[in-house]
Amino acid sequence: MNRRKFLSRTVLLTGALTLNPFDLFGKKYDERLNFKGKKAKNIIFMISDGMSNGTLSMANLYSKNILGKETHWMNLYLENKVSRALMDTASASSIVTDSAAASSSFGSGFRVNNGSLNVGINGEHYLPIWQKFKKKGKKAGCVTTVTITHATPAGFCINSAKRSAEPDIAEMYGEFGFDFMMGGGDEFFNPEKRTDKKDVYAAYQKRGYQILKNRSDLKNIDKNKPVLGVFNTGALPYTIDRNNTPNLQHMPTLAEMAKAAIEHMKDNKEGFVLQIEAGKVDWAAHANDVSALLHDQLAFDEAIKVAMAFAEKDKNTLVIITTDHGNANPGTIYGADATKNFNSIAHYKCTNEYLLNNLHADFNIQQVKDWIAENNQISVYDDEAKRILNFYNGIEKDEEGLYNYKKLPYRAFSEIQKKHNSVGWISMDHSSDYVELAIYGPGSEFLQPFVKNTDLHYLMLKAAEVENNF
């Protein structure tokens, strides 16, 4: 290198290092320093379940290219508002966790075997963190786009040897007196759908709970009563299907549930703790369903907006934004038309779940091609349409996907879509890759650049100045 140029660059760098560090790191850095030594009165823990780094990246690409704006999550990085780390998500039994063990790591501070909820490898019952905060007078709640009894909310709240014990978990929430619980799962509360015919809704009402069944009910919440909101049998619909189907719009969005929860609990003298989960991001990854994935990730991003708006105004709220594990590791693939192909996802009218559920064995090849063209705006070859049809005629059966109860040809269809949208997947299941973690507010100064999932349990206790002596 030319010596004069080298010296010139050295002088520029030296000059930069003499600047106020706030000028180097961004105007929000001084705000972050102001949280040092402050106690977190409230905690909002946000989980985009099954969000690989590729999901986060593609959602931001879609938002920029199609919607003309950065995502709220990415803006937190661009404006240097948050502390940021990578997180190891392993469980006690595997380098690849399931959601129960992952949530239990946050909930108990210990790694447990996959499938367990805060029950140790030798049967130990660890007190879940939302119960710890309840004992200190805080209100506690969870909102999710899957069943409220599912693994991720349950991992913050209860103990169970089996994550599948959702009928029991439905009863436990009321017994422990959690203050605000919302999601799907009517089949675990409704006596007409439970195998034991027990009316769990009635049990909640006897405990003073307000029961919500419709999006419009969010406008009339009684702040003096704990809330149970159950809006669907099974999970709530995917965002893109909900947005494009009028008869699904009686169910609330994740952002609407998050806002209602914060409004309900924010005036409690001792504060509140709230988990917000985008559970169907994980389900979409299991299905290799790109339109479901991106739109539910963007719906989670709207919930980030709600949480951050409250936290920035409140100044006493710790916001943790992360995932519990990766899933299927989707990503965009190099090619001359990669940008154009990826942007074509904006033309998709529905999820692959909706599209494939509405194909039938009596369709002919042209009808299959027409249905795909109508919903994805792409043209497929006859042999591709025939292969999809083979699944409905029993000729092909080997389809995976954890929540693929109808054995729909998710993998085969995503391979066809890949030629048109340049999005690939490594599998239809969880992965062990390290995941993104962003923290804002009092306690964020405790975050190290690389953490284990269990570390967040103790970070929350430390930030709220709660002794771990339960």
Side-chain angles (χ1 to χ4, degrees):
M1 178 185 288
N2 181 288
R3 185 172 182 273
R4 183 172 294 176
K5 287 183 179 180
F6 173 79
L7 291 172
S8 175
R9 291 177 185 178
T10 304
V11 169
L12 286 173
L13 178 60
T14 304
L17 293 176
T18 63
L19 293 173
N20 186 319
F22 298 157
D23 295 330
L24 278 177
F25 297 126
K27 63 182 180 180
K28 299 296 181 181
Y29 188 73
D30 53 343
E31 179 185 339
R32 284 167 51 190
L33 291 179
N34 287 338
F35 288 123
K36 291 190 72 172
K38 285 193 71 174
K39 176 182 176 180
K41 180 181 179 182
N42 312 307
I43 299 173
I44 301 174
F45 198 118
M46 307 191 67
I47 300 172
S48 179
D49 197 302
M51 186 202 75
S52 297
N53 289 339
T55 301
L56 180 64
S57 301
M58 290 195 301
N60 193 62
L61 282 173
Y62 187 95
S63 186
K64 286 197 303 180
N65 292 2
I66 306 304
L67 307 178
K69 60 181 181 180
E70 302 278 353
T71 58
H72 300 292
W73 189 333
M74 205 56 56
N75 265 326
L76 294 176
Y77 291 167
L78 293 171
E79 296 177 7
N80 203 28
K81 282 187 178 181
V82 292
S83 299
R84 182 183 179 191
L86 284 178
M87 182 171 66
D88 176 355
T89 63
S91 71
S93 56
S94 177
I95 59 171
V96 184
T97 191
D98 80 330
S99 290
S103 187
S104 297
S105 294
F106 306 139
S108 71
F110 294 88
R111 285 182 166 171
V112 303
N113 290 340
N114 288 345
S116 299
L117 292 164
N118 299 309
V119 176
I121 58 176
N122 297 311
E124 308 93 334
H125 279 221
Y126 303 116
L127 189 66
I129 194 161
W130 268 201
Q131 289 190 42
K132 290 181 179 181
F133 283 127
K134 283 284 291 179
K135 289 177 182 292
K136 293 298 181 179
K138 294 187 186 296
K139 288 191 173 183
C142 300
V143 298
T144 181
T145 53
V146 293
T147 56
I148 188 58
T149 48
H150 216 255
T152 301
F156 278 59
C157 298
I158 58 90
N159 302 90
S160 177
K162 295 182 179 180
R163 61 177 288 177
S164 59
E166 292 189 72
D168 298 329
I169 293 167
E171 296 183 66
M172 290 183 203
Y173 288 159
E175 292 166 2
F176 287 113
F178 293 109
D179 301 276
F180 198 99
M181 307 297 280
M182 274 190 182
D186 181 65
E187 66 270 34
F188 304 120
F189 298 87
N190 191 328
E192 297 178 4
K193 298 175 183 177
R194 285 178 61 109
T195 56
D196 61 6
K197 304 302 179 184
K198 188 179 291 187
D199 190 344
V200 180
Y201 286 126
Y204 274 80
Q205 287 175 319
K206 286 181 181 179
R207 291 188 171 95
Y209 278 79
Q210 182 177 2
I211 309 299
L212 310 183
K213 296 288 188 72
N214 198 291
R215 180 187 185 191
S216 61
D217 294 339
L218 271 62
K219 300 175 182 177
N220 303 304
I221 294 177
D222 186 343
K223 283 194 174 184
N224 297 312
K225 293 182 178 181
V227 171
L228 173 66
V230 182
F231 303 104
N232 202 26
T233 298
L236 302 190
Y238 284 112
T239 297
I240 187 172
D241 290 340
R242 178 196 174 278
N243 289 348
N244 293 324
T245 310
N247 64 6
L248 296 179
Q249 291 170 11
H250 67 281
M251 288 178 267
T253 67
L254 185 61
E256 289 168 343
M257 291 189 290
K259 185 174 182 180
I262 292 169
E263 286 296 314
H264 186 265
M265 299 192 292
K266 70 179 184 179
D267 297 326
N268 185 46
K269 181 181 177 182
E270 299 301 324
F272 70 87
V273 290
L274 172 66
Q275 183 204 84
I276 301 171
E277 185 208 14
K280 294 201 76 172
V281 170
D282 182 62
W283 293 26
H286 279 298
N288 289 183
D289 191 334
V290 70
S291 58
L293 184 85
L294 295 182
H295 287 278
D296 266 58
Q297 180 65 29
L298 291 171
F300 177 74
D301 201 64
E302 288 301 306
I304 291 175
K305 179 182 178 181
V306 169
M308 287 299 302
F310 172 77
E312 289 187 274
K313 183 178 180 181
D314 176 70
K315 305 295 185 186
N316 298 303
T317 299
L318 173 65
V319 181
I320 300 171
I321 308 170
T322 189
T323 181
D324 51 351
H325 52 74
N327 189 346
N329 288 30
T332 48
I333 301 165
Y334 180 79
D337 295 319
T339 302
K340 178 183 176 182
N341 289 349
F342 178 77
N343 290 348
S344 73
I345 298 168
H347 300 309
Y348 292 10
K349 296 180 180 179
C350 61
T351 60
N352 294 353
E353 178 183 77
Y354 178 87
L355 187 154
L356 294 171
N357 261 320
N358 285 279
L359 288 174
H360 303 287
D362 59 356
F363 274 36
N364 59 42
I365 288 174
Q366 189 58 48
Q367 286 175 309
V368 173
K369 292 175 67 175
D370 289 346
W371 180 242
I372 293 171
E374 179 180 341
N375 287 286
N376 277 186
Q377 304 296 302
I378 60 175
S379 297
V380 301
Y381 295 112
D382 285 359
D383 62 333
E384 292 173 324
K386 184 178 180 180
R387 189 186 173 210
I388 294 297
L389 203 53
N390 284 345
F391 286 92
Y392 297 84
N393 293 317
I395 298 171
E396 292 198 47
K397 293 182 179 180
D398 189 23
E399 271 296 313
E400 302 175 25
L402 183 60
Y403 300 103
N404 189 9
Y405 308 115
K406 296 183 179 180
K407 301 302 179 185
L408 297 172
Y410 286 135
R411 185 198 295 272
F413 189 58
S414 71
E415 287 294 322
I416 292 170
Q417 287 179 316
K418 180 171 69 173
K419 301 173 185 177
H420 302 270
N421 63 27
S422 294
V423 174
W425 311 76
I426 67 161
S427 73
M428 302 183 83
D429 217 330
H430 297 182
S431 57
S432 67
D433 45 315
Y434 302 143
V435 298
E436 284 283 339
L437 168 62
I439 298 186
Y440 172 88
S444 58
E445 69 272 18
F446 303 137
L447 184 67
Q448 299 300 309
F450 182 74
V451 298
K452 291 182 178 180
N453 43 14
T454 50
D455 293 335
L456 294 186
H457 179 93
Y458 304 103
L459 187 150
M460 285 188 279
L461 293 175
K462 187 174 181 180
E465 297 179 5
V466 172
E467 293 293 327
N468 191 33
N469 55 3
F470 296 90

